[in-house]
Amino acid sequence: MYARFEAEIEQLNERVLERAGERPTAGLLMTHSGVGPITALATDVFLGDPKRFRDGTLASYIGIIPRENSSGGRQRLGGLTKQGHPLLRFLWCEAAAHAVRRDPELRQFYRRKLVQKGLGKARVAAARKLGIRLWIMLRDQIDYQEFCRRGQMQQRSGAACAGMPGPR
């Protein structure tokens, strides 16, 4: 019985890899460390046209930002809103766990959040950062190497931000 399930799982993995290979944007996303064919395909399919999101709205759409209940000049932040697609949120969290091992900048961000906020919030923060990176790669149709090159150029110029390069 175990061998039969293994064979079925292998067939499904091959089909997902085949489908991801058919979509050029999923291929771009797979160049990021930690992002495999399932995460790339799900991100490409569920986000659709990346130009419909502004910088901050993507995390809200996925439901990976804190709930806010503010009144009278006092800001109260709660747990995650979880209003987006639960599978994509899960896949980004899993991919971020792998990406922090291989990407030095993401690892540094994760460790800083780990000290500041704790394990659970650090994982979600890394997943949110990974998701925004994937969105930028989709929006600009670039691979991971080009994404890193642009980030280094912005850091040297002092204009580093998550959005489009250029004047703020």
Side-chain angles (χ1 to χ4, degrees), residues 44-58:
D44 187 23
V45 170
F46 291 129
L47 291 187
D49 182 20
K51 292 185 178 24
R52 67 187 175 135
F53 299 105
R54 288 179 288 134
D55 289 345
T57 59
L58 174 69

Side-chain angles (χ1 to χ4, degrees), residues 51-140:
K51 292 185 178 24
R52 67 187 175 135
F53 299 105
R54 288 179 288 134
D55 289 345
T57 59
L58 174 69
S60 178
Y61 177 76
I62 300 301
I64 204 161
I65 60 168
R67 185 179 313 272
E68 184 173 1
N69 185 14
S70 301
S71 177
R74 183 171 174 175
Q75 185 181 32
R76 296 179 190 94
L77 297 176
L80 292 181
T81 59
K82 297 185 181 177
Q83 292 182 352
H85 201 280
L87 176 64
L88 189 58
R89 197 168 41 249
F90 168 78
L91 289 173
W92 281 3
C93 287
E94 289 297 311
H98 291 282
V100 296
R101 295 184 197 136
R102 295 179 184 93
D103 186 304
E105 183 183 329
L106 198 59
R107 180 185 308 127
Q108 182 181 11
F109 173 80
Y110 173 74
R111 287 183 177 168
R112 188 174 71 242
K113 291 296 176 187
L114 188 62
V115 170
Q116 290 173 352
K117 303 283 186 180
L119 181 65
K121 291 181 181 178
R123 284 183 177 172
V124 171
R128 180 180 179 276
K129 190 172 189 79
L130 175 70
I132 291 175
R133 284 177 167 196
L134 296 178
W135 169 71
I136 291 171
M137 290 168 62
L138 276 177
R139 181 194 64 193
D140 297 345

Side-chain angles (χ1 to χ4, degrees), residues 16 41 74 78 87 119 130 152 154 164-165:
V16 167
L41 194 58
R74 183 171 174 175
L87 176 64
L119 181 65
L130 175 70
Q152 290 171 353
Q154 285 183 344
M164 295 283 276

Side-chain angles (χ1 to χ4, degrees), residues 8-22 37 41:
E8 286 182 34
I9 290 171
E10 190 60 38
Q11 287 177 348
L12 291 173
N13 282 336
E14 288 174 13
R15 286 179 51 195
V16 167
L17 190 58
E18 184 180 301
R19 295 280 188 243
E22 292 172 1
L41 194 58

